[in-house]
Amino acid sequence: MAAKRQSLTLPITDSEFSATEAVLSRHAEPLRQPPSVPADVLSAGNVQIRPSPSREFQAADNLIIFFKLYNAVPAAETGKPLVRVTLTLMKDGKQAMKPLDYELTEIVSEPVPHLTFAKYVKLAGLATGRYSVVIEARDMAQKKSVKQEAWFVVTQ
């Protein structure tokens, strides 16, 4: 058994559109009981994400990408925010697969209002080596975006 301590920086809760640092994982497990109080920060609904501190994945794994977005502005027409997230996997400065696009509209109100991004990407077919995932989240109502990059390694 081994453990690794790693910091997780949450953004300051001001009015600026922002995101937590992306957590990469291969393992998610259902919560045994629905939370009666606000759940762990690494949970989405009734699922808890277990970070992979080594950021090493096998080609047969599903790469789970998890982060939270704060201060998205609701659209006037719907009363809900619309955040578009694009994931681009890169290897050696080149695109490794077609970008993946997602839309987030559902606000989670506890402990503070936010949108949760928890999606997986199949790594099957990728060659071994060092990759990065470029994540761009765009708040369509206020025309603001946040961008981050997280590296990982695909092994055999």
Side-chain angles (χ1 to χ4, degrees):
M1 175 146 312
K4 179 179 178 182
R5 185 174 298 272
Q6 185 173 342
S7 68
L8 177 66
T9 306
L10 298 175
I12 297 170
T13 55
D14 59 10
S15 60
E16 201 61 34
F17 181 59
S18 59
T20 60
E21 183 178 328
V23 172
L24 304 183
S25 174
R26 80 171 58 74
H27 184 73
E29 62 186 48
L31 294 173
R32 298 188 201 289
Q33 295 178 313
S36 56
V37 295
D40 179 290
V41 299
L42 295 177
S43 65
N46 290 329
V47 176
Q48 188 155 37
I49 310 297
R50 294 286 175 227
S52 298
S54 70
R55 294 190 174 195
E56 289 184 5
F57 302 89
Q58 295 180 357
D61 289 336
N62 287 326
L63 171 67
I64 300 169
I65 301 170
F66 174 87
F67 59 92
K68 295 185 179 184
L69 293 153
Y70 296 91
N71 303 313
V73 173
E77 315 79 59
T78 63
K80 290 184 171 189
L82 174 58
V83 175
R84 291 201 172 115
V85 178
T86 301
L87 304 178
T88 307
L89 265 59
M90 306 290 289
K91 183 174 194 255
D92 300 326
K94 297 179 182 153
Q95 191 173 299
M97 66 174 23
K98 180 181 170 190
L100 303 168
D101 293 310
Y102 302 91
E103 287 189 356
L104 302 178
T105 60
E106 297 302 318
I107 292 224
V108 178
S109 59
E110 294 293 326
V112 296
H114 65 277
L115 295 134
T116 300
F117 184 91
K119 306 290 182 187
Y120 72 89
V121 176
K122 291 182 183 274
L123 299 178
L126 293 181
T128 59
R130 184 178 167 103
Y131 289 81
S132 70
V133 58
V134 176
I135 304 163
E136 184 176 10
R138 294 175 309 284
D139 182 336
M140 303 311 287
Q142 60 182 327
K143 306 292 187 226
K144 292 191 176 181
S145 67
V146 291
K147 194 172 185 178
Q148 61 177 299
E149 186 172 12
W151 65 269
F152 63 97
V153 174
V154 174
T155 63
Q156 293 183 357

